[in-house]
Amino acid sequence: MENPHNCRTLHILLFSQLVLLLQFSSLHFLSLAYELQEKYFVNCGSDATVDLNGRNFTGDLKPDSFSFSKESETIKSTNLTISSLYQTARVFSQQSYYKFEITETGTYLVRLHFFPFSSASSNLSTGIFNVSDSRFTLLNNFTAKINSTSNSAIIKEFFLGINSTDSFKLYFTPQASSFAFVNAIEVFLAPSNFTPENHNSNLPLHTTYRVNVGGPELSPDNDTIRRNWEKDDIYLSDPNSAKNFQKNTPLSHNIEGQADDFVLSTNFIAPDLVYQTAKVMTGNSSNITWSFSVSRNARHIVRVHFCDIVSDSFYTIVFDLYSNGNLRKQIVGLDSPFAKALVTPFYYDFVVNATESKLINISIAPNLKNTTEKNAFLNGLEILEILEGTSLIYNLEESKKVNVALVVGSVLGGGLFLFIIGFMLCLRHRKAKKSRGGISHNLGLKISFAQIRSATNNFDPKMQIGVGGFGYVYKGTLSNGTKVAVKRCKQEGQRSGQGLPEFETEIIVLSKIRHRHLVSLIGYCDEGSEMILVYEFMEKGTLRDHLYESDVPRMSWKQRLEICIGSATGLDYLHKGAAGGIIHRDVKSTNILLDENLVAKVADFGLSRSGPLDETHVSTVVKGTIGYLDPEYMMSQQLTEKSDVYSFGVVLLEVLCGRPAIDITLPREKVNLAEWVVLCKKEGLLEEVIDVSLKGHIDPSSLRHFIETAEKCLQHDSSDRPTMAEVLWDLDYTLKLHQTARLGEAHEDSTTSASSAFLLPNIRHFASLDSTVNRADMRDDEMESTESEIFSQLRIGEAR
């Protein structure tokens, strides 16, 4: 039995020791000023020192404080017109590494240079390989290919947290019978303020884009830490929406600080030349949008750079920043805490999740509520992918697996180490007993981590089919041949934040319900730090995919009605048929999945609330997805099954109109789907809302009844909304009207016939534009991460 007195004593001792260590390390890092680093710059496969942009790259054949494994060879190019740095390469036929001695813990900038030249013995462009450190994969199945007319190398840039207690190794792993190579390597300490202040994650970052908006391409010669900035023109969605603006005025770098998530810039963050140019709006544009292709379903950090070189006086330009249709931030020409000079450069960081479309759209648009100046500007932009794939390192001769416990022990000392081990075991026992008590009765659903890893081919990125607030989703096949969808909690969300409650709620809800129109839980894994949910595999993806998110053929009106009926049937069962009643709380088109026969099943019960539905649930924080949230729930925080009914009404409009509930790329009056439909109804332009693929193919009576059903669902007062059972009856009747009617010349145009019957309530502005919702509680695919979350995700360690 545990002794409470001993535990308290251990807590006090451990806490005091850790405080001393943290105080010492903090003072050490803060006392050092950053200087441009001299090491490491490596000329691979050579004994010569080469100067490139003011950096001396030392040949790896010379003795230095770095080394490489012996299973490699050097090759030389016969093309003397390319830079001498790229005339040699080191080639690896098996997994090998470069090792660097690190003397200071912090965030390091790592650049890998690849120039795939051909020699008498090899063609480097045919190599296929991985690059990783001891924990994470940096490049997966990489092959270096460049334009045959280009003499530019491929440079891959990463930010890695590296501990001074270990040697840092970069592993090069050939795939199958191929080979790996590298021409040059840079490893040096980044400035301390290069990543947001509170970043303490070990996840590496990969620079995907670095853009000088409104200005020319900037070579490394123009950047203090030798970065390249490309022009933005090719990323503009509408070239006519923006024009370049330049003002060669000295910038104000004499103030320091951070306010409202804006951070003052330095010449290490971005060159002055970036802030002295910008894109501004043309007279006939309503917004400026840049579109970037990124890795599917990966998380990305976006850093936007601002400097008001446009205004003649303070606060004349006020505009909004959007990403993928989400309002991120209101930008004043100069944020008031920095109001010492107009030309003060600052930046703002946030996290965006890419979707299946593999695009990130960044938009700026005037905020005409707060200014009469119809303008907006952007000076620079960077996008960095957050890498989360773990590496697979073989047992190389000089490589030993790191035992975390031994490292901790050696750093803190043997006595304290023993105390920590005892403390961790005690704490783990208590937390496991507390956190897993709610799902202990579901042991029959447990699946081992080994089985899941085998089913997903060790979570192969090629098997990844989606990402959400909880984690990544993989397609898999169990040993009995059952196809499954595997949802694995993101590492940073495990046992803390929203991850554990959603995990437990999903298991508890789905373990006690079974219905044809609800996604079935096959099992779950709760081993160590892993939280994994395994569902039946839904072959046709989400309803949203079939409405406007893919190139698949658009569904007929009959198919759409059948899907709505199936979804309503599942929700009605949740509300009245399930034990005790369940409120889904996050009804939307991405949470309605379709099997191979287009049978609809409601999914994602992580936010669900259980209990008798004859009383309202009072929630301290509004949760759900912007665009679907019940306005009454948002105001009163009283949650009922009628909140699901409202959200389902928005889904019905998506089905009819074939567009998202919120689409910031559209003109302002069309951004919110429900508001737009109301506007069209008032102006007698209802035909504009109908999905073009449906026009002329819907019986007017069926359409009229469908619209009336949506109208009832979207009533502002929840008492005026129908129950889900009543919605189901209305949809059944709508389908019967469509099936029994004779489409053709005997009927008037469907949209015209229905216009007079469409009487939607006075729907208020939603939080998508005038946000009153806590963004930390929005669902992942709408507002993936807040600015405060970025700070907990990016800081790898203090640098000088």
Side-chain angles (χ1 to χ4, degrees):
M1 180 177 294
E2 297 171 344
N3 186 322
H5 176 74
N6 290 342
C7 279
R8 282 196 298 271
T9 303
L10 175 59
H11 293 175
I12 295 171
L13 176 61
L14 176 62
F15 180 77
S16 62
Q17 293 288 336
L18 291 178
V19 166
L20 288 174
L21 287 170
L22 291 172
Q23 287 178 338
F24 174 79
S25 61
S26 298
L27 291 172
H28 172 66
F29 291 132
L30 291 174
S31 66
L32 297 175
Y34 180 79
E35 297 177 0
L36 192 59
Q37 301 298 294
E38 297 294 332
K39 61 179 185 181
Y40 293 97
F41 300 101
V42 183
N43 180 12
C44 302
S46 174
D47 59 0
T49 298
V50 175
D51 178 88
L52 181 70
N53 305 124
R55 295 161 292 174
N56 289 321
F57 285 77
T58 303
D60 63 5
L61 294 177
K62 291 184 175 181
D64 208 323
S65 52
F66 61 85
S67 59
F68 54 89
S69 51
K70 305 305 179 183
E71 301 83 4
S72 64
E73 62 175 321
T74 63
I75 63 171
K76 294 184 178 181
S77 171
T78 57
N79 183 0
L80 300 181
T81 64
I82 61 177
S83 167
S84 55
L85 184 65
Y86 304 133
Q87 292 178 14
T88 62
R90 184 157 298 283
V91 178
F92 307 98
S93 58
Q94 64 187 64
Q95 186 175 80
S96 308
Y97 61 80
Y98 274 88
K99 182 172 71 173
F100 302 90
E101 299 302 324
I102 300 299
T103 59
E104 189 169 335
T105 297
T107 301
Y108 280 74
L109 197 153
V110 176
R111 292 193 188 109
L112 306 176
H113 297 245
F114 304 99
F115 193 95
F117 60 75
S118 296
S119 68
S121 59
S122 10
N123 180 359
L124 296 183
S125 65
T126 63
I128 303 175
F129 55 97
N130 293 356
V131 181
S132 60
D133 64 5
S134 59
R135 299 163 299 167
F136 298 99
T137 297
L138 307 180
L139 295 174
N140 186 44
N141 287 331
F142 174 73
T143 182
K145 294 185 182 297
I146 60 175
N147 190 306
S148 59
T149 62
S150 172
N151 277 335
S152 300
I154 298 171
I155 301 176
K156 297 292 184 178
E157 181 182 277
F158 306 90
F159 293 89
L160 305 177
I162 304 178
N163 195 312
S164 62
T165 61
D166 302 317
S167 296
F168 171 61
K169 293 180 180 179
L170 272 174
Y171 293 86
F172 295 82
T173 307
Q175 296 299 288
S177 59
S178 189
F179 60 89
F181 80 95
V182 62
N183 300 86
I185 302 173
E186 302 175 57
V187 179
F188 63 91
L189 193 63
S192 61
N193 60 349
F194 202 83
T195 52
E197 286 300 321
N198 297 323
H199 180 46
N200 57 10
S201 170
N202 286 328
L203 295 177
L205 308 176
H206 174 211
T207 304
T208 307
Y209 295 96
R210 183 172 285 123
V211 181
N212 181 25
V213 177
E217 180 180 351
L218 299 179
S219 69
D221 292 332
N222 301 115
D223 190 286
T224 51
I225 54 177
R226 307 301 189 259
R227 294 163 295 182
N228 185 78
W229 297 75
E230 60 179 321
K231 297 173 63 175
D232 71 302
D233 300 281
I234 62 173
Y235 304 112
L236 280 173
S237 298
D238 179 7
N240 297 320
S241 66
K243 59 184 179 181
N244 292 344
F245 187 91
Q246 182 174 352
K247 191 173 184 179
N248 297 325
T249 183
L251 305 184
S252 299
H253 287 297
N254 58 343
I255 54 178
E256 298 180 355
Q258 177 174 336
D260 195 25
D261 300 322
F262 297 130
V263 186
L264 269 295
S265 185
T266 68
N267 60 347
F268 289 112
I269 298 299
D272 285 1
L273 290 174
V274 170
Y275 294 111
Q276 290 171 339
T277 60
K279 273 287 193 303
V280 297
M281 297 178 61
T282 58
N284 59 352
S285 61
S286 59
N287 66 75
I288 308 175
T289 298
W290 293 263
S291 185
F292 300 91
S293 176
V294 294
S295 298
R296 176 187 300 175
N297 294 327
R299 294 188 302 146
H300 295 79
I301 300 163
V302 178
R303 170 168 289 180
V304 281
H305 298 268
F306 299 102
C307 184
D308 193 349
I309 60 174
V310 182
S311 303
D312 295 323
S313 59
F314 292 125
Y315 316 124
T316 58
I317 297 179
V318 182
F319 58 96
D320 294 327
L321 170 71
Y322 302 90
S323 67
N324 285 352
N326 297 308
L327 175 61
R328 285 293 180 177
K329 203 73 172 173
Q330 182 185 101
I331 312 294
V332 181
L334 187 67
D335 191 61
S336 56
F338 308 150
K340 295 186 178 181
L342 277 173
V343 288
T344 300
F346 60 97
Y347 62 91
Y348 170 61
D349 294 316
F350 56 94
V351 172
V352 174
N353 283 359
T355 62
E356 288 289 334
S357 64
K358 299 193 293 186
L359 289 176
I360 289 181
N361 295 315
I362 304 297
S363 304
I364 52 175
N367 186 319
L368 299 181
K369 291 183 179 180
N370 297 311
T371 183
T372 58
E373 184 77 20
K374 188 182 178 182
N375 205 352
F377 62 85
L378 181 65
N379 304 78
L381 180 144
E382 297 173 79
I383 298 179
L384 297 91
E385 180 180 352
I386 302 174
L387 302 179
E388 299 179 89
T390 56
S391 63
L392 179 62
I393 304 303
Y394 305 137
N395 186 23
L396 300 179
E397 181 180 353
E398 296 181 52
S399 175
K400 298 179 181 178
K401 293 183 178 180
V402 177
N403 187 313
V404 176
L406 291 179
V407 172
V408 174
S410 64
V411 172
L412 299 181
L416 182 58
F417 169 62
L418 293 176
F419 275 118
I420 291 176
I421 292 300
F423 171 75
M424 291 174 67
L425 291 174
C426 174
L427 185 61
R428 177 169 180 166
H429 173 72
R430 287 182 175 180
K431 291 182 70 176
K433 186 175 181 180
K434 179 179 179 181
S435 67
R436 301 178 189 179
I439 58 174
S440 60
H441 60 281
N442 296 304
L443 295 179
L445 291 173
K446 275 203 168 184
I447 301 176
S448 71
F449 182 68
Q451 288 176 289
I452 295 175
R453 185 166 53 188
S454 175
T456 59
N457 194 19
N458 197 23
F459 300 99
D460 187 342
K462 294 178 182 178
M463 308 289 280
Q464 187 176 316
I465 57 175
V467 64
F470 179 84
Y472 294 94
V473 184
Y474 299 84
K475 181 179 179 180
T477 304
L478 298 178
S479 57
N480 63 3
T482 303
K483 290 184 178 181
V484 293
V486 176
K487 186 158 66 174
R488 185 188 193 189
C489 183
K490 297 174 183 176
Q491 293 295 317
E492 66 275 14
Q494 293 179 357
R495 308 297 172 204
S496 62
Q498 195 64 28
L500 181 58
E502 288 195 19
F503 178 68
E504 293 185 337
T505 299
E506 192 98 357
I507 296 172
I508 293 169
V509 170
L510 287 178
S511 63
K512 66 181 181 181
I513 58 176
R514 278 290 186 272
H515 193 277
R516 182 171 185 260
H517 292 291
L518 300 178
V519 170
S520 297
L521 181 70
I522 303 297
Y524 71 94
C525 174
D526 189 27
E527 295 181 16
S529 63
E530 293 289 346
M531 295 190 296
I532 302 173
L533 298 164
V534 182
Y535 308 90
E536 61 175 315
F537 181 68
M538 301 296 286
E539 189 73 36
K540 298 297 184 181
T542 72
L543 171 59
R544 181 173 185 162
D545 292 337
H546 292 264
L547 293 176
Y548 46 83
E549 288 269 324
S550 68
D551 297 328
V552 299
R554 291 294 176 256
M555 294 183 296
S556 67
W557 183 238
K558 178 177 179 291
Q559 288 174 318
R560 299 186 195 211
L561 287 178
E562 289 173 341
I563 289 169
C564 291
I565 290 170
S567 306
T569 303
L571 291 170
D572 178 50
Y573 172 77
L574 283 180
H575 290 174
K576 300 302 182 185
I582 296 172
I583 304 172
H584 187 281
R585 212 180 182 186
D586 197 23
V587 177
K588 56 184 177 180
S589 56
T590 52
N591 283 341
I592 296 173
L593 304 183
L594 307 175
D595 71 8
E596 58 184 351
N597 298 314
L598 293 181
V599 173
K601 302 193 180 191
V602 180
D604 198 343
F605 299 86
L607 294 185
S608 298
R609 291 291 298 269
S610 301
L613 296 185
D614 54 352
E615 299 178 0
T616 60
H617 293 272
V618 178
S619 175
T620 56
V621 180
V622 173
K623 293 185 179 182
T625 299
I626 297 305
Y628 300 87
L629 280 170
D630 172 8
E632 184 178 77
Y633 167 48
M634 291 166 59
M635 294 173 60
S636 67
Q637 297 183 350
Q638 290 185 332
L639 180 69
T640 71
E641 77 275 13
K642 295 296 184 70
S643 298
D644 283 352
V645 173
Y646 183 92
S647 301
F648 190 69
V650 178
V651 173
L652 294 180
L653 290 187
E654 286 186 90
V655 168
L656 175 66
C657 304
R659 56 146 287 188
I662 300 293
D663 188 347
I664 199 63
T665 64
L666 296 174
R668 191 173 188 85
E669 69 275 8
K670 296 183 179 181
V671 168
N672 187 294
L673 174 59
E675 291 179 351
W676 178 51
V677 172
V678 170
L679 178 63
C680 289
K681 171 257 173 182
K682 289 180 179 179
E683 297 181 354
L685 299 173
L686 191 58
E687 64 276 3
E688 290 190 9
V689 308
I690 308 296
D691 187 341
V692 65
S693 68
L694 295 177
K695 291 183 178 181
H697 300 285
I698 309 177
D699 170 68
S701 299
S702 176
L703 176 61
R704 185 181 299 112
H705 202 75
F706 184 86
I707 289 171
E708 290 172 351
T709 303
E711 170 194 353
K712 290 184 286 186
C713 292
L714 293 169
Q715 292 292 325
H716 188 274
D717 190 336
S718 63
S719 62
D720 293 332
R721 299 173 202 153
T723 64
M724 193 55 68
E726 292 170 328
V727 174
L728 177 57
W729 190 96
D730 284 333
L731 290 173
D732 275 326
Y733 184 63
T734 301
L735 178 59
K736 288 182 174 65
L737 288 174
H738 179 71
Q739 290 174 324
T740 57
R742 294 177 57 190
L743 297 178
E745 296 180 355
H747 298 278
E748 299 178 16
D749 177 75
S750 60
T751 56
T752 305
S753 302
S755 298
S756 61
F758 193 18
L759 300 173
L760 278 177
N762 181 20
I763 301 172
R764 302 185 179 185
H765 283 276
F766 297 159
S768 57
L769 300 179
D770 304 306
S771 181
T772 59
V773 179
N774 184 342
R775 285 182 292 167
D777 294 293
M778 298 177 185
R779 300 295 288 145
D780 183 77
D781 61 349
E782 295 296 326
M783 185 66 78
E784 299 83 355
S785 302
T786 64
E787 288 70 46
S788 62
E789 289 173 336
I790 302 167
F791 297 155
S792 68
Q793 293 167 352
L794 302 187
R795 174 68 63 185
I796 296 172
E798 290 298 334
R800 292 189 293 177

